[in-house]
Amino acid sequence: MKRPLTRIWAALRRRTVLTITVAVVLLAVVATGAAEYTVRHHIQSRVAKAAPGLGDEVAVGVAGGSALWDLAHESIPRLDISSDDARVGRLSQVRVRARLDDVRLGGTTTVGGTHADVTVSTLSLAAAIRDAVPSVAVAAVTTDPAKGTVLADVGPGGLGQLTLRPVLADGKVTLAVDGLTLFGRSVPTDRLGIGAGGFGPQAGAPKEYPLGLAATSAEVRPDGLHVSLTGGPSTLSDL
């Protein structure tokens, strides 16, 4: 009888040890997962604070690996940032998809390089025109990708048509007035209170794009204006 009892007790001990080991491992996994979530949320909050123009619905992803590991080593290989309600100068509800490479944390946060793709919808363009010229009614905004222009139906009943063309110069994009017609006839744009310079940066807006970004392309597509920006090494002290 002793041998069967000994075997039973040994089996029970092994089962108890296994149960305790599994419980410890599960607790460790849960704790690590909670810490990972906390770190990712912390990084997202800091990015939102450093770049309030990205809006309230900004999402930040740590590409690959572990955010907990990256934070412990004060180095993040890549941050992916996305927002659908960013504000850039006069433009609101702008879609932004950005990538920050080689982010080094410390007293001053440094970024090895940055790339961003910005999409300004026709609705955002219409809102920007209304903001720039409040006295002018804007019925609708469409695009003509073949000609690379933005067309706004303006005035009572949308009887006038304002043509805008994106201009890329010195790493910045502005919308220049290409013409204004009323009943098919060309009329001076000063009747709308718009100067020859078109829709430049809003008064009081920063003269430079953040993170040293510079526009490299501006393309008119069916859904609006698409702008690509690239930046080299820069600092982001608030992150």
Side-chain angles (χ1 to χ4, degrees), residues 76-205:
I76 303 175
R78 193 179 94 193
L79 282 179
D80 293 320
I81 301 172
S82 63
S83 173
D84 291 330
D85 68 339
R87 184 172 185 85
V88 182
R90 297 184 186 276
L91 302 170
S92 59
Q93 297 297 309
V94 174
R95 181 178 183 268
V96 176
R97 297 293 182 268
R99 186 187 75 235
L100 276 61
D101 294 317
D102 191 20
V103 180
R104 302 295 179 93
L105 308 175
T108 298
T109 301
T110 62
V111 179
T114 309
H115 178 80
D117 291 313
V118 175
T119 302
V120 186
S121 68
T122 52
L123 291 176
S124 295
L125 291 168
I129 296 172
R130 294 188 188 100
D131 180 58
V133 194
S135 60
V136 176
V138 180
V141 170
T142 57
T143 63
D144 186 341
K147 295 182 178 179
T149 56
V150 175
L151 309 173
D153 294 333
V154 298
L159 296 176
Q161 189 173 71
L162 177 66
T163 304
L164 303 170
R165 184 182 300 277
V167 176
L168 175 61
D170 299 325
K172 296 181 179 59
V173 176
T174 57
L175 286 172
V177 176
D178 212 37
L180 174 64
T181 59
L182 184 61
F183 298 111
R185 294 186 177 183
S186 179
V187 297
T189 57
D190 56 9
R191 293 191 180 185
L192 294 179
I194 304 173
F199 299 92
Q202 191 174 18

Side-chain angles (χ1 to χ4, degrees), residues 12-35:
L12 288 173
R13 282 197 298 270
R14 287 196 297 270
R15 192 170 299 175
T16 302
V17 171
L18 178 61
T19 301
I20 293 174
T21 302
V22 170
V24 171
V25 170
L26 286 175
L27 286 173
V29 169
V30 171
T32 301

Side-chain angles (χ1 to χ4, degrees), residues 16-63:
T16 302
V17 171
L18 178 61
T19 301
I20 293 174
T21 302
V22 170
V24 171
V25 170
L26 286 175
L27 286 173
V29 169
V30 171
T32 301
E36 179 75 11
Y37 173 81
T38 300
V39 169
R40 288 176 181 268
H41 181 72
H42 173 71
I43 293 174
Q44 179 170 327
S45 297
R46 296 297 296 272
V47 169
K49 180 181 178 182
L54 288 173
D56 297 328
E57 301 299 325
V58 59
V60 179
V62 180

